[in-house]
Amino acid sequence: MKKVLRFLGYTLIALLVLAAIGITFTIGWRPFIGPKARPLTARKFEATPERLKRGEYIATHVAGCMECHTPGDWMQHEVKLDEARMGAGQPMPLNGLPGRIIASNLTPDPETGTGNWSDDQLARAIREGIGHDGRALFPMMPYSRFRHMTDEDLASVIVFLRSLLPVRNALPRTEVIFPVNYLIRSEPQPLTEPVQAVVSTPVKRGQYLVAIANCGDCHTPMKQGKFIPEMDLAGGRLLEGPFGHVASANITPDPTGISYYTEDLFVQAMRTGYVGGVRKLNQIMPWSVFRGMTDEDLKAMFAYLKTVKPVVHRVDNSETPTQCKRCGAVHGLGDKN
């Protein structure tokens, strides 16, 4: 009997060791012990006219904060946001999400919004993915891209958010299904060093803007919840909601992407929502956000996109969706890849 118990004990220990090794080299321990988070500080961002203006520009026309966090009519080609409820939050208008995902009320309402949040709670949420209550934010909030936002632009965005009209809008809590609710705990990464950006050339400026405009999240296909790194900006990510069922476009400079775009064509598409005045961009492509960007910034984004790695990936929403061997999704011209 003692030998049997000893054998069972050794077997249990061996299984625990193997499980520990497996966890260490696969999903890691963050899903079990919680997300990485730096301690909060007492920093407060001084409100200046310059910051308010810059923050409104970034939040409204570049980063898309207001589009995600404001109720709007997604049935229209140009999404009309409810100006009286700007930043008041909403359930995300996308199908197929792993649970109920809520874009928070960002207005300074003290009961249902951010009125009682500190500046650093907002800063940590925007760039590091830690909610005001310490939880890991669902990465549809693109904090992995926003971590490239400079300290000054971050301060400006928070100054702008503080200026919003307080709106009482009680929203349900985000509820992410198992096991995704545990897996996302590995996503947040603390920032402990100053963040700056080199914007001395159009290409560098464009690289910064493409990052904080979150182009990569929509235009990079995913497999098993992870972006396919060798297909950065190559399109094919499926998006479904009140706007319809579409796959994002390949925006690399490959012939299957936007090699035919000129600078003027790019700016025109972002201003009007039409390519060449003919082909309509779906409203989930936030052209109605980007239309408010300056010519200089739009041209810089295009200058950068011309330098990214060309990726062969045919995506066409006007064609019958078929299985794509390249990205694994079902989209137009998928069988031609």
Side-chain angles (χ1 to χ4, degrees), residues 177-238:
I177 63 173
F178 177 87
V180 181
N181 57 334
Y182 285 93
L183 295 176
I184 63 172
R185 293 178 178 179
S186 299
E187 296 300 318
Q189 297 295 326
L191 279 172
T192 57
E193 299 293 331
V195 179
Q196 298 178 332
V198 177
V199 293
S200 54
T201 68
V203 170
K204 290 293 185 183
R205 184 185 188 87
Q207 183 177 20
Y208 174 67
L209 292 167
V210 164
I212 67 171
N214 193 31
C215 304
D217 273 18
C218 284
H219 288 277
T220 303
M222 304 180 80
K223 277 186 180 178
Q224 298 178 335
K226 297 290 184 182
F227 293 110
I228 305 173
E230 66 272 17
M231 298 190 70
D232 190 38
L233 299 175
R237 183 170 182 187
L238 301 180

Side-chain angles (χ1 to χ4, degrees), residues 10-332:
Y10 289 152
T11 301
L12 178 60
I13 291 171
L15 289 173
L16 289 173
V17 170
L18 288 173
I21 293 172
I23 290 170
T24 300
F25 290 99
T26 53
I27 63 173
W29 291 96
R30 284 294 156 191
F32 305 98
I33 64 177
K36 292 181 182 178
R38 62 169 176 79
L40 288 166
T41 70
R43 65 175 169 167
K44 186 169 178 60
F45 301 115
E46 180 186 0
T48 65
E50 294 77 19
R51 278 181 169 171
L52 179 59
K53 182 178 179 180
R54 176 67 175 174
E56 181 177 12
Y57 179 72
I58 294 293
T60 305
H61 300 302
V62 182
C65 310
M66 292 301 99
E67 185 179 53
C68 278
H69 289 268
T70 304
D73 183 1
W74 286 88
M75 299 298 291
Q76 302 301 316
H77 180 223
E78 180 180 355
V79 178
K80 296 293 186 182
L81 302 182
D82 185 348
E83 294 186 4
R85 297 168 66 80
M86 195 65 65
Q90 64 170 338
M92 289 304 297
L94 288 170
N95 299 341
L97 298 175
R100 182 181 64 200
I101 311 301
I102 305 296
S104 302
N105 182 348
L106 297 181
T107 75
D109 178 68
E111 294 184 18
T112 66
T114 63
N116 292 322
W117 299 9
S118 70
D119 282 7
D120 201 37
Q121 280 179 311
L122 277 168
R124 199 173 64 166
I126 292 169
R127 293 198 307 191
E128 301 166 55
I130 299 295
H132 69 286
D133 54 3
R135 75 189 190 282
L137 298 181
F138 185 67
M140 177 168 283
M141 164 62 187
Y143 47 86
S144 63
R145 309 286 180 177
F146 290 165
R147 70 185 290 107
H148 300 289
M149 187 180 293
T150 66
D151 294 342
E152 183 55 32
D153 277 349
L154 174 71
S156 297
V157 167
I158 291 173
V159 166
F160 168 68
L161 294 180
R162 297 299 196 199
S163 77
L164 292 173
L165 179 71
V167 178
R168 181 175 176 79
N169 187 28
L171 292 163
R173 184 183 174 90
T174 288
E175 295 288 348
V176 183
I177 63 173
F178 177 87
V180 181
N181 57 334
Y182 285 93
L183 295 176
I184 63 172
R185 293 178 178 179
S186 299
E187 296 300 318
Q189 297 295 326
L191 279 172
T192 57
E193 299 293 331
V195 179
Q196 298 178 332
V198 177
V199 293
S200 54
T201 68
V203 170
K204 290 293 185 183
R205 184 185 188 87
Q207 183 177 20
Y208 174 67
L209 292 167
V210 164
I212 67 171
N214 193 31
C215 304
D217 273 18
C218 284
H219 288 277
T220 303
M222 304 180 80
K223 277 186 180 178
Q224 298 178 335
K226 297 290 184 182
F227 293 110
I228 305 173
E230 66 272 17
M231 298 190 70
D232 190 38
L233 299 175
R237 183 170 182 187
L238 301 180
L239 302 162
E240 185 175 6
F243 47 83
H245 181 94
V246 297
S248 60
N250 181 347
I251 57 172
T252 75
D254 186 78
T256 61
I258 59 170
S259 61
Y260 64 94
Y261 269 49
T262 64
E263 180 181 82
D264 287 343
L265 182 63
F266 180 81
V267 172
Q268 181 194 52
M270 296 303 101
R271 291 267 190 260
T272 67
Y274 288 89
V275 179
V278 178
R279 180 165 61 84
K280 183 168 73 171
L281 298 177
N282 187 280
Q283 52 265 41
I284 192 60
M285 164 62 198
W287 67 269
S288 55
V289 170
F290 298 153
R291 72 185 306 175
M293 293 179 68
T294 64
D295 285 349
E296 180 185 20
D297 281 351
L298 285 174
K299 290 176 180 179
M301 290 178 77
F302 182 66
Y304 169 68
L305 290 174
K306 288 195 299 183
T307 71
V308 304
K309 183 186 74 171
V311 181
V312 179
H313 191 214
R314 295 170 179 83
V315 182
D316 188 339
N317 286 301
S318 68
E319 299 287 339
T320 302
T322 51
Q323 185 74 42
C324 178
K325 293 181 180 179
R326 190 81 200 275
C327 71
V330 177
H331 59 72

